[in-house]
């Protein structure tokens, strides 16, 4: 791994300057707010191609507080949300930002978790755009900690207008 920019040798970022998003800028691409923002940083991206993001796992987060307190394990459901948020950011970077009256909904999901994630881990997500068709985005991703795979994911996102969702009970 290249410690200067967090990229692995041979990744798309080695031949150019990485495009990064810090936490404050990253929040502009997500409708989520605390405690539902799972990403801490975008290391690099290429619209329509890939995105690399980080999740820093702390034992002090709300997500760890009640999840096996005697043996803190980061919930797989929250890793799934981090995968989705990485996809949401790549989808918008590849098309346009969401309008005020739009949301992204996750559709079909396939996931596999192969190793637990614990406080102190730095989870890296490598997301690849598979298909972008108007309001539909299909992507795949893998998550790793210190280069060791912890999960794989494939999902579909759809961009919808809030009015298309029917009666708004919220």
């Amino acid at each position: 791994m290249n410690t200067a920019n967090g990229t692995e040798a041979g990744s798309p970022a080695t031949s150019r300057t990485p495009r990064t998003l810090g936490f404050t800028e990253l929040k502009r691409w997500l409708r989520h707010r605390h405690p539902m923002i799972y990403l801490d940083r975008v290391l690099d991206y290429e619209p329509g191609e890939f995105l690399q993001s980080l999740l820093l796992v702390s034992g002090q987060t709300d997500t760890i507080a009640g999840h096996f307190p005697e043996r803190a394990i980061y919930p797989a459901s929250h890793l799934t949300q981090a995968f989705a948020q990485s996809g949401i950011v790549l989808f918008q970077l590849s098309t346009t930002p969401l309008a005020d009256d739009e949301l992204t909904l996750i559709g079909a999901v396939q996931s596999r978790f192969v190793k637990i994630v614990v406080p102190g881990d730095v989870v890296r997500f490598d997301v690849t755009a598979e298909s972008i068709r108007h309001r539909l985005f299909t992507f795949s991703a893998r998550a790793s900690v210190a280069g060791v795979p912890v999960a794989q994911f494939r999902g579909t996102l759809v961009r919808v207008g809030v009015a298309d969702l029917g009666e708004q009970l919220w």
Side-chain angles (χ1 to χ4, degrees), residues 30-104:
L30 297 170
R31 296 285 166 89
H32 308 81
R33 291 296 171 254
H34 175 79
M36 295 300 294
I37 295 178
Y38 293 102
L39 302 178
D40 291 291
R41 179 175 301 150
V42 171
L43 298 173
D44 196 9
Y45 66 89
E46 181 65 44
E49 298 293 327
F50 74 92
L51 181 133
Q52 298 165 338
S53 57
L54 287 182
L55 162 68
L56 310 175
V57 179
S58 169
Q60 301 302 310
T61 62
D62 297 338
T63 58
I64 294 288
H67 197 253
F68 306 123
E70 67 284 354
R71 286 188 181 86
I73 297 172
Y74 195 78
S77 59
H78 294 281
L79 281 176
T80 299
Q81 183 64 35
F83 275 123
Q85 288 179 6
S86 296
I88 289 166
V89 173
L90 181 57
F91 187 15
Q92 292 178 83
L93 290 168
S94 301
T95 56
T96 59
L98 290 172
D100 289 341
D101 65 343
E102 287 183 309
L103 297 171
T104 50

Side-chain angles (χ1 to χ4, degrees), residues 130-167:
E130 292 184 357
S131 172
I132 304 171
R133 291 189 309 258
H134 186 55
R135 300 172 94 55
L136 187 68
F137 179 64
T138 303
F139 65 103
S140 60
R142 60 185 162 98
S144 59
V145 172
V148 177
V150 296
Q152 298 173 342
F153 184 89
R154 187 168 190 272
T156 302
L157 295 169
V158 63
R159 183 184 284 222
V160 297
V162 172
D164 297 333
L165 298 174
E167 184 180 4

